[in-house]
Amino acid sequence: MIINMAAYDPNVRIDSKPICPIGTSEVTLVYVEEGLKTSQKGNEYIPLRFERAGYNSIFYNLVLNSNPVVLGKLVNLLSSFGVKLEMREYASSEILQIIKTLRNKKVEVEVIHETYTKDGKEITKASISVFKPAKSSDVSTAKAAEAVANFIDSY
């Protein structure tokens, strides 16, 4: 056998798993940051990590503010886990405590791929576009959709 070293690419990580494929995947929330983080724009967020067996983790920053789109994403995530919030004000720390109770629970997600440039190199990563109840959970998609619709109607 002949080994062609011209095929060697120093940018290939030999310790990594493949990225999660595009489409619907059942994932487990495996990590919730202990404290709130603040973005460069001043928004508080909670770093989350989801896993699907055999693939790299999917990282998701759950932004916390009163922007209707951001609130819609929060309601989407929580309703997918069967959590329904009252229509009142919540401190970011309250949301963090609620999210922490979801560790090790499964949820279904729509995975997309995003490409960005780092150090002149294009990198593709898996991202979550939408959360849905896991097929193995007792939360129905209709129930989750109803929670999101009720939230949107309240505006």
Side-chain angles (χ1 to χ4, degrees):
M1 170 180 270
I2 298 192
I3 304 202
N4 181 359
M5 290 305 291
Y8 171 71
D9 181 352
N11 296 315
V12 172
R13 290 184 50 196
I14 60 173
D15 63 338
S16 67
K17 300 174 187 172
I19 63 173
C20 193
I22 292 172
T24 302
S25 289
E26 187 171 273
V27 296
T28 303
L29 176 58
V30 295
Y31 178 79
V32 178
E33 184 76 28
E34 285 303 314
L36 297 164
K37 299 286 185 183
T38 303
S39 72
Q40 291 177 344
K41 293 182 181 179
N43 292 314
E44 287 184 314
Y45 68 95
I46 305 168
L48 307 174
R49 183 166 48 97
F50 294 87
E51 286 186 356
R52 176 179 167 192
Y55 296 95
N56 273 340
S57 297
I58 303 172
F59 296 90
Y60 186 84
N61 289 333
L62 180 61
V63 177
L64 302 174
N65 66 36
S66 295
N67 174 301
V69 173
V70 171
L71 288 174
K73 290 180 180 185
L74 174 63
V75 169
N76 172 243
L77 180 136
L78 292 174
S79 64
S80 296
F81 283 104
V83 176
K84 187 173 182 181
L85 296 179
E86 298 171 15
M87 292 301 162
R88 65 171 179 86
E89 291 182 350
Y90 287 84
S92 298
S93 58
E94 285 181 274
I95 299 297
L96 175 61
Q97 294 310 313
I98 292 167
I99 298 294
K100 284 181 178 182
T101 68
L102 304 175
R103 275 189 196 126
N104 299 315
K105 293 192 176 178
K106 293 186 182 300
V107 69
E108 205 168 271
V109 297
E110 283 299 318
V111 175
I112 59 172
H113 285 178
E114 295 179 334
T115 303
Y116 63 97
T117 304
K118 182 177 181 181
D119 300 327
K121 181 176 109 178
E122 276 198 357
I123 298 172
T124 300
K125 69 173 189 161
S127 294
I128 297 171
S129 65
V130 178
F131 292 89
K132 302 179 212 173
K135 288 186 176 22
S136 60
S137 77
D138 60 354
V139 179
S140 71
T141 302
K143 200 168 158 186
E146 178 186 349
V148 173
N150 287 343
F151 173 77
I152 292 169
D153 290 344
S154 71
Y155 262 89

